[in-house]
Amino acid sequence: MPSPEEQARSDRAQVALGRACLARYELRWEGPGETALETGRRMALSRQAARWGTVDLRQAARYGYHAPPWSTYNPQVGALLDQHADLPADVEKVLYGLVGTFGDKAVPQNGCRAEAAARLLRGAPRADGNLPDWLARQAADASAEDPRLSTVLGAWRACMTRAGHPYASPHAAAHDPRWKRVWTPTEKELTVAVADVRCQNEVRYLPALVDVTSRHQRELISRYTTELGRLKRLKDVRARNVAEALAAQPSGTASSQEGDRDGSG
C-alpha cells in the first residue's frame, strides 16, 4: 500500500496528466478542489490509524468505536470522496470517455482519466495490487488463532468481565451491533471503549498483537518473495512516472485550487 505522501503525489500527478490530456481538446479544468484532492492521502492516513483498532484512551473516551471526524471512515466526510463533482459537461465527456470523439479528435478509451492512470504505470511490470491486503488478512487471521496471543486475550477477557463488559475480544467489543445504530457514540459505547483500552493496556495486548502479527507477516513475505518483488518494481516505476508528471506541469498549476472550473477553451 502507498504511504499517505505517496498517495497524495500520485493523485496530483494523475490530475496533472488528466489536465494535459483535456488540453488537447481545448478543454480547461483545474482539477478537484484542494480539499477533495487530499482525500486519497486522508484515506491512507485513516487506514494506518485504524490498523490496530481502538487503542488510544483519549480517542476512546471521545469517540468510542466511531471513526473520528478527521477519518474518511466517518460517513459524515463521505462528500469529500467525490473528487469530480460538478464537472462541466464537455470536460466530463472527455475525462470519462463518454464520447468516442470530441472536436473531430478521437477520445482515449475510457477517457483522459484512464489515459492518465495508464501513463503512471507505463513500463511497470504486471503485479497483483490486491496481494498486500490479502497477505495482511492472512496474517491477521493466523494471529487470531495463535496460542501466543490467546493467553493475552484470556487476560483481556477477564479484565473486561471484572469491568462488567464481557466480550470475547477487542474486535467483538468494537463491532457490537448497538454501536452501528447511531451516528454518535452513546454513553454505553464510550464506557465500553474506555474499559477496552484500559484492559488492553493492563495486559499489554497491543505489543503482543504487533509481535505475533509481525511474525506471521514475515513468514508470508518469505513465501511470496517473487510476487512482492514485482510489486516493489511496479511501485518504483510508478514513483518515477509520478515525478515526471509533476515536473512537467506548467508553472502555476503545481497544485489544484478550489473552484475556477471551465468547460471551454
Side-chain angles (χ1 to χ4, degrees), residues 14 95-96 108-119:
Q14 176 142 344
L95 190 65
Y96 288 103
Q109 185 175 7
N110 297 321
C112 285
R113 197 158 184 256
E115 179 185 280
R119 278 282 302 278

Side-chain angles (χ1 to χ4, degrees), residues 99-118:
V99 293
T101 60
F102 187 87
D104 296 327
K105 294 180 181 178
V107 173
Q109 185 175 7
N110 297 321
C112 285
R113 197 158 184 256
E115 179 185 280

Side-chain angles (χ1 to χ4, degrees), residues 20-203:
C21 174
L22 289 167
R24 302 202 304 262
Y25 304 89
E26 299 183 355
L27 291 172
R28 180 170 173 267
W29 178 54
E30 293 300 322
E34 190 67 23
T35 300
L37 195 52
E38 280 290 299
T39 297
R41 177 176 175 274
R42 289 183 61 179
M43 290 177 70
L45 284 168
S46 299
R47 283 194 300 269
Q48 286 185 351
R51 180 181 181 186
W52 303 110
T54 301
V55 296
D56 182 80
L57 190 58
R58 285 176 298 181
Q59 181 175 317
R62 187 168 184 181
Y63 306 113
Y65 296 109
H66 280 66
W70 51 262
S71 171
T72 53
Y73 290 123
N74 187 317
Q76 294 178 335
V77 302
L80 295 176
L81 301 179
D82 188 358
Q83 296 192 14
H84 301 93
D86 303 322
L87 285 174
D90 287 345
V91 168
E92 184 175 20
K93 291 175 185 176
V94 178
L95 190 65
Y96 288 103
L98 304 181
V99 293
T101 60
F102 187 87
D104 296 327
K105 294 180 181 178
V107 173
Q109 185 175 7
N110 297 321
C112 285
R113 197 158 184 256
E115 179 185 280
R119 278 282 302 278
L120 293 181
L121 290 175
R122 185 174 57 188
R126 289 183 177 273
D128 182 1
N130 295 319
L131 180 61
D133 282 341
W134 183 81
L135 292 177
R137 289 193 299 271
Q138 294 297 307
D141 290 345
S143 299
E145 303 295 328
D146 195 305
R148 291 168 292 190
L149 192 60
S150 298
T151 301
V152 178
L153 271 175
W156 177 89
R157 284 193 291 269
C159 177
M160 286 291 282
T161 299
R162 289 195 301 271
H165 313 295
Y167 286 95
S169 66
H171 182 272
H175 290 82
D176 189 318
R178 291 176 295 176
W179 315 150
K180 303 302 180 183
R181 296 173 188 161
V182 291
W183 285 95
T184 56
T186 62
E187 286 300 319
K188 178 66 173 177
E189 178 184 342
L190 295 175
T191 299
V192 170
V194 167
D196 174 7
V197 175
R198 284 177 174 163
C199 285
Q200 288 187 46
N201 292 340
E202 180 179 313
V203 304

Side-chain angles (χ1 to χ4, degrees), residues 233-251:
R233 292 194 295 276
L234 182 150
K235 183 177 180 180
D236 291 343
V237 171
R238 183 181 177 90
R240 289 197 297 270
N241 291 340
V242 164
E244 290 176 4
L246 293 175
Q249 288 186 94
S251 177

